Amino acid sequence: MTVPKETAEKCLQMLLPWRGGWTLRNEDPRQEEERHVKANDRDYNGRFPYADNRIKTSKYHIVTFLPINLFEQFQRVANAYFLFLLILQLIPQISSLSWFTTIVPLVLVLTITAVKDAMDDFFRHKSDNHVNNRQSQVLIDGKLHTEKWMNVRVGDIIKLENNQFVAADLLLLSSSEPYGLCYIETAELDGETNLKVRQALTVTSELGGDISKMAAFDGEVVCEPPNNRLDRFTGTLLWKDEKHSLANDKMLLRGCVLRNTEWCFGMVIFAGPQTKLMQNSGKTTFKRTSIDKLMNTLVLWIFGFLTCMGIILAIGNSIWEYRVGHDFRIYLAWNEVLDHAVFSGFLTFWSYVIILNTVVPISLYVSVEVIRLGHSYFINWDRRMYCSQRDTPAEARTTTLNEELGQIEYIFSDKTGTLTQNIMAFNKCSINGKIYGDIYDEHGCKIEVTERTPSVDFSFNHLSDKKFKFYDHSLVEAVKLGDSSVHEFFRLLSLCHTIMAEEKNEVRNPKGQIKLYSKGADTILFDMLHPSDEDLMYTTSDHLSEFAGEGLRTLALAYKDLEEEYFEEWFKRHHFASTTLDNREDSLAALYEEIEQDMKLLGATAIEDKLQEGVAETIACLTLANIKVWVLTGDKQETAMNIGYSCNMLRDDMNEVFTISGNTVLEVQQQLRNAKERVLGSYRDVGNGHTNSKKLEMSKNDSVVEETFTGEYALIINGHSLAHALEADLEQVFLDIACMCKTVICCRVTPLQKAQVVELVKKCKNAVTLAIGDGANDVSMIKTAHIGVGISGQEGMQAVLSSDFSFAQFRFLQRLLLVHGRWSYFRMCNFLCYFFYKNFAFTLVHFWFGFFCGFSAQTVYDQWFITLFNIVYTSLPVLAMGLFDQDVNEQSSLEHPRLYEPGQLNVLFNKHKFFICTAQGVYTSIVLFFIPYGVFLDTVRDDGSHIADHQSFAVTIATSLVIVVSVQIGLDTSYWTAVNHFYIWGSVAIYFSILFAMYSNGIFDLFPNQFPFIGTARNALSQKSVWLVILLTTVVCVMPVVALRFLRVDLYPRLTEKVRYMQQASKKQRPLEHKLKRVRRTSSRRSAYAFAHQEGYGELITSGKNMKVTNPFSSLPAVRIQGSTSWIENLLKKRADAPNSASTDRAPKQQHQQ
């Protein structure tokens, strides 16, 4: 029976009269629609399922660790496969190998992985406990009690003191500052280190610091449910029969830090996982590399191949038993005679499944984990990724993703603190039409500022920053002389609190006037000016162009004198609009637009947030490696574009820069389609309109077009437009045009939108992605990307704690990818190719032997050889190759970024490579079995006796196998070290030592049942014919490989071979490291910069012609590097030689081209 919704709603209201804003919904009958919170009333608030303030980022608990971790590990197909084999080996009727050959390595793999996972989760628990156990002062029963953060509840009133972190999302009630003001640093949320102002309601600010008044406060807040919007909050405070509007400027969000405010009180609205910070943190997911995923597929294929071999041998056994098997029972008596040939074949099938399981040995996964661990330590030990200024080394925080670093196609980067230093410096300004900040000589010529230039002495001001350097004395003189415009200029900056002063005195207008101060983008502010300021506007505009051309961030400043009567009337309308719940934002925007008219221009500021050292060079090098860099930032569009120009991601010579700024779905859709049509149109018009049918056909496939463009385009999109572009109907159009552009900048985006952009590229492009950031607002995209990199900068450690890799500066990303990532991918692929080859060669000998032993599941090798082959005889050489091998050295890897492309194309290990490796293994197994078998048919010993006994045959094949695979790994090794030599030849020596020991008299005396064949090795290997067989087998196995590789390198050399040849040719010369010269931006374009989170407008329309593409590597005529762009050419044009020192971490200093 179905209950009507209205009836259910009434019943719910009767049962839950306190439910407030909770409504019945079909999807979730307890989903929160709006939140009701009463101050100082835990009983009331406890009726709702509001989250407490405890956070949890860990995955396991001490009780749940073992079952959950084992469940996760057995999701790996190989682990489940080996567990299945172990069960089979415990059945005596079908087991031809001892159970310990599988259980020991399986337990070892599970234990190593479990310990690693436990350590990772331990650090998460440690981080969670550190946060949850922070202390906070909570008002309980009329008194302040010190409570842990995790014990804070919704509705509690908390007292914060200066420099304390905000424990939860709070409604500001009062503060130590006048009018309920307080100042917060929001770096953990939006990446901005400048202080922001928050102000309590007048009615609550009157509560002050009186504990009794706070304890009596019983206001109720009705607000929006938990969400991830950092810049918006909508709610109403109901207190003393009055309604008061609540907006984001009344909230203190978790993660902020109280600054320059002695104390403040706040009421908890959202706690723990429901805070906006945690809502933007994203979900911790289990990351696996593409090679891991491919390995799962290959294991299934191999198991299918093994099943087919087992079926063939089982059918052979049934036929053999049916026809001739009974004739052999006189020699090999059965304990229980099986007269049914089909059942005998069935048992034989499972026996061969056990014997042939070594095509995928468990030692493969042990070796993979060891290699990854080694690669992680190489990153941690890299002194060239160590930042001495911050005493911060690079750190691999996970050991499972190293080879993925060599396959990155898209990088998603934050801006502030990631590309920039996040240290703002006042550089220049324009006041009343005059520039301050430049210095001139006695002839009136501008002088370039150097380290020797004397700076202004600010010792007269005890509040001045000792580190601040300013070189124009005229500005200080104007302040001292009482210039009214200069004083008004700095008064505006002080009151807007973009520049915070520690002075506690009130700032008042000397004449008692009411003034409106405004700062922002010149494109917006100039439209608000009084017509009488037109001349000053043009002069200031020229100054702004000059500032922007120097890469400085600009702000325009204006003011207006307000009549008291007008202001009081306007303020009443403002109060009414701010308390309404319908169209509040639109009404307030109209009022702000009304009052911000006919303003007087004061001037403009020029702020410098320098790029980090080596950013432009790093982006240039990554672009040459065919890696696309997208910037996702919470800053204004103008600010983001300024940085784009500074690091040469945006340039005047680009074909076009598309700006997507629509406010509706239709506007965004039209702008995206127009941009796409312009790009495709220019592509079709290549060659003066002569486009053949093949090109037209290619243009229908955007993925093909994306790789064949000769033009350069950029896409700029803001957060509001991006919200529409990420909807299901438009996301593919947005992705198409974004991937056709050389540069993509998404500005004013929320942390969740960052993650959505990353997820879109992951899902639709099937590309390996990397996200890099330094703040808590980057955590979501760091967790979403295949690889997350955290920069330990000015914005705390949230990004680092959530990352897979971390370091101190963006420039280290180049070395992480092009050296460590590329080497890790190269080594892992070579390791896997060799491992599959040697194990197919080792295992398939049993398959061929089955046709000559009556399909009886008899093994060729001795059981101890089967056990030790992968664990002892061949484990160390392949580990050495996987840890130390290099195709080219690190210098060549950095000088030739195109060497990175094989990883992006996944050409070193894929399904095709796997088939080649297995084919080589099958060929080797055939040679290993049939050459000794054919020779032994008619060969006799030196004394004339027969040599073809089973044990001598097994020793001959085993010895040939060890030598062949050792020679093969020698051919596969590109970079020889003492470790490689020791492991390869040492493993061969160990084999012979163990071989003679196992067949010696001494071991027989100790363990007669386990080692019954005395002297077999000595007797077999003392015969010349056996050594000739081993030599012949080795040559036949290896020579085809040598010949094919020689022909390929000689006829079709790859870039790697060419670079290696040049590397060897210049071995006697001291290697030189080239450093890139930064090209200073000379663009005449400008854009404004604002610190506050306010929406900026204005479109940048650019056009230009392509510059002719030349080869940046002119010194390498034999190596043609395609796809380089003109701006990179300019950036790499002039290189200076520097010693290749491994003991320094200092990157080349940026040189500005004047």
Side-chain angles (χ1 to χ4, degrees), residues 895 1072-1077 1131-1139 1148-1149 1151:
E895 289 179 350
L1072 299 177
E1073 181 179 4
H1074 301 289
K1075 59 183 181 181
L1076 307 173
K1077 181 175 180 181
L1131 194 61
L1132 300 176
K1133 188 176 180 181
K1134 185 174 180 181
R1135 295 170 175 241
D1137 297 334
K1149 294 184 178 179
Q1151 301 178 9

Side-chain angles (χ1 to χ4, degrees), residues 303-319 345-346 348-350 352-353 356 847 851 855:
F303 185 74
F305 178 62
L306 187 153
T307 303
C308 292
M309 290 192 295
I311 292 173
I312 292 172
L313 295 171
I315 293 173
N317 176 266
S318 297
I319 296 174
F346 173 77
T348 301
F349 168 79
W350 294 111
Y352 272 112
V353 167
L356 300 175
F847 179 76
F851 291 90
F855 306 96

Side-chain angles (χ1 to χ4, degrees), residues 44-270:
Y44 174 83
N45 299 320
R47 297 173 179 174
F48 302 94
Y50 298 151
D52 58 26
N53 208 36
R54 182 192 300 268
I55 63 167
K56 180 178 180 293
T57 61
S58 57
K59 294 170 58 179
Y60 310 110
H61 189 269
I62 190 171
V63 177
T64 62
F65 171 74
L66 190 61
I68 294 179
N69 187 262
L70 288 177
F71 175 75
E72 290 178 346
Q73 290 201 58
F74 282 112
Q75 285 184 317
R76 178 181 284 178
V77 176
N79 288 343
Y81 164 66
F82 290 118
L83 179 63
F84 173 68
L85 288 177
L86 176 61
I87 296 172
L88 291 182
Q89 285 182 286
L90 297 176
I91 304 174
Q93 287 80 5
I94 61 175
S95 178
S96 53
L97 292 175
S98 299
W99 56 270
F100 64 81
T101 59
T102 298
I103 193 171
V104 172
L106 177 61
V107 170
L108 181 63
V109 169
L110 296 177
T111 302
I112 291 175
T113 306
V115 169
K116 179 177 65 65
D117 292 342
M119 290 299 296
D120 291 343
D121 207 59
F122 169 76
F123 288 113
R124 295 192 194 100
H125 274 286
K126 189 175 180 180
S127 174
D128 291 345
N129 290 335
H130 174 72
V131 174
N132 289 330
N133 289 317
R134 285 177 177 171
Q135 302 295 314
S136 187
Q137 299 183 67
V138 183
L139 185 61
I140 301 176
D141 297 330
K143 296 181 180 180
L144 285 175
H145 296 268
T146 300
E147 290 282 348
K148 296 178 179 180
W149 276 23
M150 60 183 177
N151 296 327
V152 173
R153 297 291 183 269
V154 171
D156 288 351
I157 292 180
I158 296 178
K159 180 182 180 181
L160 295 176
E161 295 181 348
N162 192 34
N163 297 326
Q164 281 189 345
F165 278 95
V166 180
D169 288 355
L170 309 179
L171 169 64
L172 179 61
L173 298 178
S174 66
S175 75
S176 58
E177 301 301 297
Y179 310 110
L181 292 172
C182 75
Y183 310 110
I184 57 173
E185 181 182 285
T186 61
E188 288 281 353
L189 295 176
D190 54 27
E192 297 184 358
T193 55
N194 58 289
L195 302 187
K196 298 189 174 59
V197 62
R198 295 291 184 263
Q199 184 174 15
L201 291 170
T202 303
V203 291
T204 60
S205 64
E206 294 173 354
L207 298 174
D210 192 325
I211 300 299
S212 60
K213 291 182 179 179
M214 282 292 174
F217 177 68
D218 59 352
E220 180 179 2
V221 173
V222 180
C223 65
E224 62 190 18
N227 58 75
N228 55 25
R229 293 173 296 181
L230 294 173
D231 57 345
R232 294 185 182 181
F233 178 81
T234 304
T236 303
L237 172 65
L238 306 176
W239 190 40
K240 296 182 179 179
D241 299 326
E242 292 185 358
K243 294 172 59 177
H244 306 276
S245 171
L246 301 178
N248 200 52
D249 61 341
K250 303 293 188 293
M251 297 295 294
L252 306 180
L253 301 184
R254 180 183 180 127
C256 298
V257 182
L258 189 68
R259 300 290 192 196
N260 297 348
T261 306
E262 186 177 345
W263 54 261
C264 73
F265 283 89
M267 172 183 170
V268 178
I269 305 299
F270 303 119

Side-chain angles (χ1 to χ4, degrees), residues 341 444 1108:
K1108 185 177 180 180

Side-chain angles (χ1 to χ4, degrees), residues 345-456:
F346 173 77
L347 295 180
T348 301
F349 168 79
W350 294 111
S351 296
Y352 272 112
V353 167
I354 295 173
I355 293 173
L356 300 175
N357 81 85
T358 50
V359 286
V360 185
I362 190 67
S363 60
L364 169 65
Y365 292 92
V366 178
S367 302
V368 167
E369 294 297 332
V370 171
I371 290 172
R372 285 174 171 168
L373 182 64
H375 292 169
S376 299
Y377 277 109
F378 292 155
I379 294 174
N380 297 343
W381 293 337
D382 192 341
R383 297 179 66 182
R384 295 193 177 189
M385 296 173 66
Y386 168 76
C387 180
S388 57
Q389 293 90 344
R390 299 178 185 172
D391 190 25
T392 304
E395 181 183 5
R397 300 177 58 82
T398 181
T399 59
T400 59
L401 303 173
N402 303 87
E403 65 270 16
E404 201 95 311
L405 289 170
Q407 299 180 275
I408 302 299
E409 297 180 61
Y410 289 85
I411 292 177
F412 301 92
S413 174
D414 179 38
K415 180 192 68 65
T416 306
T418 303
L419 300 180
T420 67
Q421 297 180 13
N422 202 12
I423 301 175
M424 311 301 170
F426 181 80
N427 191 284
K428 296 181 181 181
C429 63
S430 171
I431 304 176
N432 199 25
K434 180 180 179 181
I435 290 181
Y436 295 94
D438 293 329
I439 54 177
Y440 302 87
D441 58 15
E442 61 275 9
H443 303 293
C445 298
K446 186 184 296 186
I447 301 176
E448 183 178 359
V449 176
T450 64
E451 294 181 357
R452 296 183 179 180
T453 306
S455 60
V456 176

